[in-house]
Amino acid sequence: MSSIRKYQAKTITEALAMVRADLGRDAVIVQTRKVNKKVLGVWGREMVEVWASDNPDLESLRRPQTTPAPATISSSPREPSSRIEQLESEIQNLKAMIAQLARQGVAVVSDTVPSGVPAENRWMSLLKEAEVEEWVVRELLQSVPENALSESTLQSLVAERLVTSGPIALQEAQPKVVMLVGPTGVGKTTTIAKLAAQYALLQKHRVGLITIDTYRIAAVEQLRTYSQIIDVPIRVVYSSNELPAAVREFASMDIVFVDTAGRSQRNTMQIGELKACCERLSTCEVHLVLSSTTKTRDLYDIVERFSVMPLHRIIWTKLDESTAFGNMLNVAVKHPLPISYVTTGQRVPEDVEVAESNKLASLVVGGASAPTPILTPTA
Ligand SMILES: Nc1nc2c(ncn2[C@@H]2O[C@H](COP(=O)(O)OP(=O)(O)OP(=O)(O)O)[C@@H](O)[C@H]2O)c(=O)[nH]1
Ligand SMILES: [Mg+2]
């Protein structure tokens, strides 16, 4: 059985010397490419990777007459540039040959095998594994030449789409009013408690809480309990008409959080009530709260149906419960709304942090294989 081995070096000359020393002068170059050598989890120096075989019969696997002879390592002097050109011209044909070798059961001696399909397809399958939808994958990769892609460039492409807003910006003279809306049970009330505690206790701002979630008795008690623990005032309003007066009462506050009842996006009447609440307030920043455990198609539906009111930000919750994060990218591409915060657990106030594009992108691109949570609580 023949074997294919991988060699990495700083330059092509060094890599070829390694091939020659290991497999002899008749070694056949199967593929060369540039790779980013990962050191301690960080993308580091660019290296040259050469795949070579000691099987001279590789020649027979080529398509008849359509390809040049394999790049045999020879000790005879040769122009380095012509050798590299020859290698480059072979890459396309050799990719197909690798696939053929795999089908014929040739042993491969390595930890990983470069797939016999074009590089772009590797990134496609990586993104699809993360549950990024096919149309998003195509849109993302269409403008990038196949050979310009690496994991780090892919991550940058994804990060560009995951636009973030930074933390809620306070305003001079009047309180900033922030309303959280979204489906049932996604973590609106808990997130308000986390943010209220961070703004009041850590940043020493004056914080007021308003709840218009009188739909369930327990909901009012839930926020009231948090308000007592954090020691911030709370107002309960029973209709949208009462909302402006409650906000006026908090005129001396820096920030006022408005908690709303979880609404099914499919209940048009309930969504209409929420919209009426927004319209009652002259300035209100609306954050749509979405759970990262919700499937993409439902997320599209939620964003579309909540869009009857002005939506300014998205908060992604329950990242700790999710195993694939492509749905965040799908939503970001279809409905480009800046992401303000992400939440990563049930602890109040620790498990919330300001969203960062790069961190989110690394979850999308590397999330499925991430050994430990990438996100850490904000101090
Ligand atoms: N694992 C995990 N659980 C969370 C997170 N955020 C909230 N939860 C939990 O989700 C459940 C629902 O949270 P709530 O804050 O009551 O959700 P809500 O959106 O206000 O719910 P409704 O008002 O009923 O619509 C609670 O058990 C929370 O502890 C998170 O980031 N991770
Ligand atoms: Mg709630």
Side-chain angles (χ1 to χ4, degrees):
M1 247 204 197
S2 54
S3 65
I4 300 175
R5 291 173 189 269
K6 180 175 80 175
Y7 301 86
Q8 284 187 345
K10 275 185 270 180
T11 64
I12 185 88
T13 316
E14 276 175 41
L16 293 177
M18 289 161 73
V19 172
R20 195 184 306 130
D22 196 26
L23 299 179
R25 34 194 297 191
D26 292 324
V28 177
I29 301 302
V30 176
Q31 184 174 357
T32 63
R33 61 173 189 158
K34 287 184 175 162
V35 292
N36 274 309
K37 183 89 175 162
K38 213 174 184 180
V39 184
L40 292 175
V42 177
W43 289 103
R45 218 184 20 232
E46 195 167 69
M47 304 279 280
V48 177
E49 186 177 283
V50 173
W51 291 75
S53 172
D54 57 0
N55 177 13
D57 291 336
L58 283 176
E59 170 78 332
S60 64
L61 293 170
R62 292 166 182 278
R63 292 191 203 101
Q65 267 94 55
T66 56
T67 59
T72 303
I73 307 294
S74 154
S75 54
S76 60
R78 202 183 218 178
E79 281 297 310
S81 61
S82 67
R83 192 192 299 163
I84 290 166
E85 273 168 27
Q86 188 182 1
L87 288 172
E88 282 173 348
S89 74
E90 287 198 324
I91 286 174
Q92 291 307 320
N93 298 319
L94 291 173
K95 280 176 183 169
M97 192 172 68
I98 294 254
Q100 200 172 344
L101 276 171
R103 279 197 298 276
Q104 294 186 1
V106 174
V108 174
V109 185
S110 175
D111 46 350
T112 56
V113 188
S115 62
V117 291
E120 185 176 290
N121 286 353
R122 285 212 320 279
W123 307 124
M124 278 181 170
S125 51
L126 189 150
L127 290 172
K128 283 179 193 161
E129 183 75 9
E131 295 181 9
V132 179
E133 294 212 307
E134 193 160 341
W135 71 270
V136 178
V137 175
R138 267 189 270 111
E139 185 173 324
L140 209 67
L141 301 183
Q142 70 182 357
S143 57
V144 190
E146 180 188 317
N147 56 8
L149 264 184
S150 66
E151 190 166 333
S152 58
T153 51
L154 180 66
Q155 199 165 307
S156 307
L157 281 178
V158 172
E160 269 173 36
R161 299 304 189 106
L162 292 163
V163 175
T164 53
S165 64
I168 297 164
L170 301 187
Q171 51 199 26
E172 305 248 319
Q174 54 176 338
K176 178 78 171 232
V177 180
V178 176
M179 182 185 283
L180 267 59
V181 301
T184 56
V186 289
K188 297 177 294 298
T189 307
T190 313
T191 305
I192 285 187
K194 291 170 181 174
L195 294 175
Q198 297 233 353
Y199 274 86
L201 304 178
L202 298 178
Q203 300 178 27
K204 309 290 180 207
H205 290 300
R206 289 161 297 175
V207 176
L209 301 180
I210 296 176
T211 179
I212 50 177
D213 183 6
T214 51
Y215 189 66
R216 294 179 299 117
I217 303 288
V220 176
E221 288 317 309
Q222 187 187 3
L223 197 64
R224 200 189 295 282
T225 306
Y226 282 125
S227 81
Q228 284 162 357
I229 296 168
I230 307 163
D231 196 20
V232 294
I234 181 170
R235 299 281 176 272
V236 181
V237 304
Y238 291 88
S239 79
S240 58
N241 299 342
E242 299 170 27
L243 196 51
V247 171
R248 273 198 302 277
E249 275 190 63
F250 282 146
S252 63
M253 298 292 163
D254 297 312
I255 185 163
V256 176
F257 290 102
V258 182
D259 192 15
T260 62
R263 293 308 192 197
S264 159
Q265 77 276 9
R266 307 204 75 86
N267 188 325
T268 317
M269 199 186 80
Q270 290 182 343
I271 300 286
E273 283 167 18
L274 267 183
K275 183 180 179 223
C277 289
C278 291
E279 285 167 351
R280 290 274 167 185
L281 299 172
S282 51
T283 61
C284 175
E285 192 171 278
V286 182
H287 294 231
L288 175 64
V289 184
L290 299 174
S291 168
S292 60
T293 61
T294 308
K295 63 177 186 286
T296 294
R297 200 188 302 175
D298 292 338
L299 289 167
Y300 290 161
D301 193 38
I302 291 163
V303 180
E304 275 153 29
R305 289 173 188 260
F306 274 85
S307 291
V308 295
M309 68 195 89
L311 300 177
H312 303 102
R313 306 276 187 265
I314 286 179
I315 296 176
W316 284 102
T317 61
K318 308 196 183 187
L319 266 60
D320 55 305
E321 288 187 358
S322 189
T323 50
F325 299 91
N327 54 0
M328 295 196 294
L329 181 63
N330 296 334
V331 171
V333 175
K334 196 168 171 75
H335 302 284
L337 279 169
I339 304 165
S340 53
Y341 295 93
V342 295
T343 76
T344 54
Q346 292 182 290
R347 293 175 307 168
V348 177
E350 293 95 331
D351 293 337
V352 62
E353 61 182 276
V354 177
E356 280 179 39
S357 302
N358 284 330
K359 266 189 183 177
L360 293 178
S362 70
L363 276 179
V364 173
V365 174
S369 58
T372 50
I374 290 176
L375 297 159
T376 50
T378 329

